[in-house]
Amino acid sequence: MQFEKLIKGKLVKRYKRFLADIILENGEEITAHVPNSGAMTSCIEENCDVWVTFHDNEKRKLKYTLELTKMGENLICTNTGVANKIAIEAIQNGVIKELQGYENLKPEQKYGENSRIDILLENGNEKCYVEVKSVSLRIDDYLAFPDAVTSRGTKHLNELAQMVKDGHRAVMLYVIQRTDNLPFKLACQIDKKYCEAFKEVTKNGVEVLVYQSHINLEEIYLKKVSIMDSF
């Protein structure tokens, strides 16, 4: 996925989850929309380098969107909405080899209990439900999910398990949106219930894939399978 023109700045502060005050390189002070409802632990801090996009849309209250941050030498895509886009691209481009062989790909399809599956793959009567989660948290020497308690994430795991019971294929796809070359594991110390649900559903047929992103100031795309440690 190609980024729209990125504009560099320095973070002043993030607040109310979806707002960030930023000073651009030209000295202009702006407030940007932060498309990330998580804690963003380890991927943003005061005075870190950030990149935003500008959207001249009269319907938007905030014209800027936070897209990237930099922690140490690592770029991080903090826009969680990007995960679905690059996952779809990677399936269509044949990068995610485990999800090939389907005739149709449909994003955001209703299923379960008032939920939407991120990606539905179909081949005749055969169906594969793919739930996508964005990973941006770093803990010591590994990357992790979730970065906060997520009852919604636990619900998604259980709904994937129900699809397996109904005779379909179900896949949990973790998309690493930072450039650290580190293994992935679940942050059980943050959300024990999520981990318990993960153990149960994977024991009963839900598959797990973890893919690493390539990120620079022009584009982001999935490039390779990442290692998942036991927990």
Side-chain angles (χ1 to χ4, degrees):
M1 186 193 94
Q2 295 285 325
F3 288 116
E4 296 181 46
K5 182 182 178 181
L6 293 173
I7 305 166
K8 189 177 182 181
K10 291 281 188 181
L11 179 76
V12 177
K13 63 178 179 178
R14 178 206 183 198
Y15 55 102
K16 295 182 180 179
R17 288 201 298 174
F18 301 109
L19 300 175
D21 289 341
I22 294 165
I23 298 178
L24 302 181
E25 283 192 316
N26 64 6
E28 181 183 0
E29 296 186 23
I30 65 160
T31 298
H33 171 60
V34 180
N36 189 320
S37 61
M40 293 180 69
T41 306
S42 80
C43 56
I44 197 168
E45 65 182 8
E46 184 179 332
N47 206 41
C48 72
D49 288 338
V50 299
W51 287 264
V52 298
T53 50
F54 177 75
H55 307 271
D56 191 14
N57 184 334
E58 62 182 16
K59 295 181 179 180
R60 286 186 54 140
K61 182 177 180 180
L62 298 174
K63 301 295 186 182
Y64 292 90
T65 298
L66 179 65
E67 304 287 355
L68 299 179
T69 64
K70 189 174 185 180
M71 298 289 284
E73 297 302 314
N74 294 298
L75 285 172
I76 305 156
C77 180
T78 55
N79 185 339
T80 57
V82 168
N84 285 18
K85 296 177 182 178
I86 61 177
I88 289 171
E89 281 186 0
I91 294 170
Q92 293 174 332
N93 295 338
V95 173
I96 304 181
K97 300 188 184 304
E98 299 90 342
L99 298 179
Q100 300 304 299
Y102 294 94
E103 294 178 354
N104 299 312
L105 184 157
K106 299 177 181 177
E108 297 291 328
Q109 297 297 297
K110 290 182 179 180
Y111 89 121
E113 298 180 10
N114 298 317
S115 293
R116 288 181 180 272
I117 193 67
D118 292 316
I119 302 169
L120 175 61
L121 301 171
E122 296 178 317
N123 194 13
N125 293 325
E126 183 182 359
K127 293 185 178 182
C128 177
Y129 293 81
V130 183
E131 181 68 28
V132 180
K133 295 298 182 189
S134 170
V135 177
S136 62
L137 174 64
R138 177 173 178 171
I139 302 175
D140 299 326
D141 58 352
Y142 63 90
L143 307 177
F145 182 89
D147 70 350
V149 174
T150 173
S151 56
R152 184 168 176 263
T154 300
K155 176 187 175 186
H156 290 158
L157 288 175
N158 292 326
E159 288 177 332
L160 288 177
Q162 185 59 52
M163 294 304 101
V164 174
K165 288 181 181 179
D166 292 344
H168 306 299
R169 187 182 176 199
V171 178
M172 184 66 248
L173 172 61
Y174 296 99
V175 171
I176 296 174
Q177 290 190 191
R178 53 187 298 157
T179 56
D180 315 53
N181 187 25
L182 296 170
F184 169 81
K185 67 190 301 183
L186 295 185
C188 296
Q189 68 273 46
I190 293 176
D191 193 339
K192 184 178 178 181
K193 288 185 178 180
Y194 184 87
C195 284
E196 290 172 347
F198 180 92
K199 288 180 182 178
E200 185 65 23
V201 304
T202 53
K203 184 172 64 177
N204 291 310
V206 174
E207 302 169 45
V208 180
L209 296 174
V210 185
Y211 269 77
Q212 173 76 45
S213 297
H214 169 85
I215 309 171
N216 58 38
L217 299 182
E218 295 181 353
E219 61 183 345
I220 176 173
Y221 57 86
L222 293 187
K223 66 174 184 175
K224 66 177 182 178
V225 178
S226 186
I227 298 171
M228 180 170 183
D229 278 0
S230 58
F231 60 97

